[in-house]
Amino acid sequence: MSTIIELPARQIKPAVVRVAAYARVSTASDRQLHSYAAQVSHYQQMISSRAGWVFAGIYTDHGITGTSTAAREGFQRMMAAARAGDIDLILTKSISRFARNTVDLLEYVRELKILGVAVLFERENIDTSTMDGEILLTLLASFAQAESESNSQAVKWAVRKKYEEGYAHSITALGYQTVGREIRIVPDEAELVRRLFHGYLAGISPEKIAQQFRDEGLTPTSRGLVVNPNRARTVLDNPIYIGTIIGQKYIMPTVGGTACLNQGEEPMYVIEEHHEPIIDRATFDAVQAELKRRKRAGHLTLAPSVGSSALTHRVICTVCGRRYHRKTKHRTNWSYKFWWCETATRGNGNPCKAKQIKEPQLHQTVLETLGLELWDDEKILSLIDHIEISPSLKIRVVLTTGDTMTRTLAGGK
């Protein structure tokens, strides 16, 4: 007689999937913040209720645009975790929440795929682990980017319309706050502005005055603003303090790009007597005259210090009028000196389109212009008043005699 033995089924544990989620809203409005909280709560419940899924974190950004991933700290932390092998699957609400730039989107999705990490877009029901998913993703991402560009044009139109009607848009300045369509004075900050203007006319640098504010405990202000000594000088030439608004002084040519100086590409709007001034026009005009005087005389009164050169304070950008700064670029086993417009060195883009100029190139051009063979700081100081450099690397050397000589930078194109 046959013997039958029943073998119990082996319990197979489901594979553990480490699941993370990414949530983002683009503004800090109450409605958007509610959406942000709802996304976070949704993913927490979704991951914890699914068998085989292990919570691997929720990465978030709020009040940040989706047109570029560079400024999104939460997104970048999520990518770092994926590269470290801590994530298997990423959940996100939609393509537009993840990125609206097609190039960025596909670059990150493909990198994640190589790392073995899938992305699930809920609204579009796309799983990037499948080939069909990537094809559909490419198409939808293009639509998302087109939508972003369309929205950008709509926002630009709305901003221009405000300026045409005589209203300011999104004003952020020491001494003022925007309430609806009104710009109102913030009393404690207005007093700091007055001290900057009157102190400058009294011969005190704005950087030193700003440091005095810190020493006296006047900053942060009632609104929490910090008066940075490195930025205090920008207050002095801002016409907002005499009640004037200049609309579209800076523009952003591409969606998610860098703001640059409007040099005629778009209309500008000058709105006078727009709001209550903090500084009277006579004081403002006196400061502008003093700024120009010091700008002209500054390179004559400031001799090179130890470690600087004969060109310190004497190389000027033809676009913004600021001086070129001498910088050092370090490499693994070597370094070199170069000169770059002060505006570009501030870390807010390069609106002047100024190029970095290696010091040997600049020295060679100056020597050739002056007919000299060897560089001698004292000799150069005695001959040159200042040098003007354009973005196309055209150099105009102004001599102490008043004569000028023009040349293209050595090795420049």
Side-chain angles (χ1 to χ4, degrees), residues 78-79 82-83 90 98 107-119:
M78 178 187 71
M79 289 302 301
R83 292 173 185 130
I90 296 172
F98 200 77
E107 177 185 337
Y108 283 109
V109 164
R110 286 168 181 165
E111 181 185 352
L112 289 167
K113 194 169 184 179
I114 292 172
L115 294 169
V117 181
V119 183

Side-chain angles (χ1 to χ4, degrees), residues 3-249:
T3 302
I4 299 173
I5 301 174
E6 181 179 352
L7 299 176
R10 182 166 59 92
Q11 296 295 319
I12 301 175
K13 293 182 179 180
V16 173
V17 180
R18 295 164 298 177
V19 184
Y22 177 71
R24 178 187 67 81
V25 296
S26 55
T27 71
S29 69
D30 290 342
R31 181 180 174 184
Q32 289 290 294
L33 289 176
H34 176 74
S35 169
Y36 174 80
Q39 289 180 61
V40 172
S41 176
H42 166 70
Y43 289 125
Q44 286 175 332
Q45 294 176 17
M46 183 177 180
I47 295 172
S48 62
S49 64
R50 180 77 174 262
W53 279 13
V54 175
F55 183 77
I58 294 181
Y59 298 88
T60 60
D61 288 303
H62 56 91
I64 297 176
T65 178
T67 54
S68 172
T69 57
R72 288 195 267 156
E73 293 183 4
F75 185 91
Q76 294 302 332
R77 283 191 288 105
M78 178 187 71
M79 289 302 301
R83 292 173 185 130
D86 298 332
I87 300 174
D88 299 313
L89 174 64
I90 296 172
L91 307 177
T92 191
K93 182 178 179 182
S94 66
I95 290 172
S96 63
R97 295 298 89 192
F98 200 77
R100 288 190 176 182
N101 180 305
T102 305
V103 174
D104 276 356
L105 176 69
L106 295 180
E107 177 185 337
Y108 283 109
V109 164
R110 286 168 181 165
E111 181 185 352
L112 289 167
K113 194 169 184 179
I114 292 172
L115 294 169
V117 181
V119 183
L120 179 61
F121 298 92
E122 287 190 283
R123 178 181 295 170
E124 296 84 3
N125 193 25
I126 294 177
D127 183 346
T128 63
S129 62
T130 68
M131 180 58 72
D132 289 345
E134 182 168 346
I135 293 171
L136 186 57
L137 182 69
T138 304
L139 293 173
L140 293 178
S142 298
F143 294 143
Q145 183 170 348
E147 179 190 6
S148 178
E149 291 170 353
S150 176
N151 290 341
S152 175
Q153 290 302 317
V155 169
K156 286 180 180 178
W157 180 87
V159 170
R160 288 195 198 102
K161 193 68 177 173
K162 279 187 178 180
Y163 288 136
E164 289 171 359
E165 293 174 356
Y167 294 104
H169 171 74
S170 186
I171 294 298
T172 302
L174 179 70
Y176 287 111
Q177 65 178 343
T178 304
V179 180
R181 285 193 165 187
E182 274 188 73
I183 295 181
R184 297 179 183 173
I185 291 177
V186 181
D188 64 323
E189 293 180 9
E191 185 55 34
L192 301 185
V193 171
R194 294 186 189 99
R195 282 183 60 179
L196 279 166
F197 274 84
H198 294 297
Y200 187 75
L201 290 178
I204 308 172
S205 75
E207 293 82 5
K208 185 172 182 179
I209 298 171
Q211 189 58 53
Q212 289 175 355
F213 295 162
R214 289 189 174 188
D215 295 342
E216 295 171 25
L218 300 176
T219 176
T221 67
S222 59
R223 288 192 300 166
L225 293 184
V226 175
V227 183
N228 187 337
N230 296 327
R231 305 287 293 174
R233 190 173 292 269
T234 61
V235 169
L236 298 177
D237 62 0
N238 193 340
I240 192 174
Y241 296 111
I242 55 171
T244 298
I245 295 292
I246 300 179
Q248 289 201 155
K249 185 176 182 180

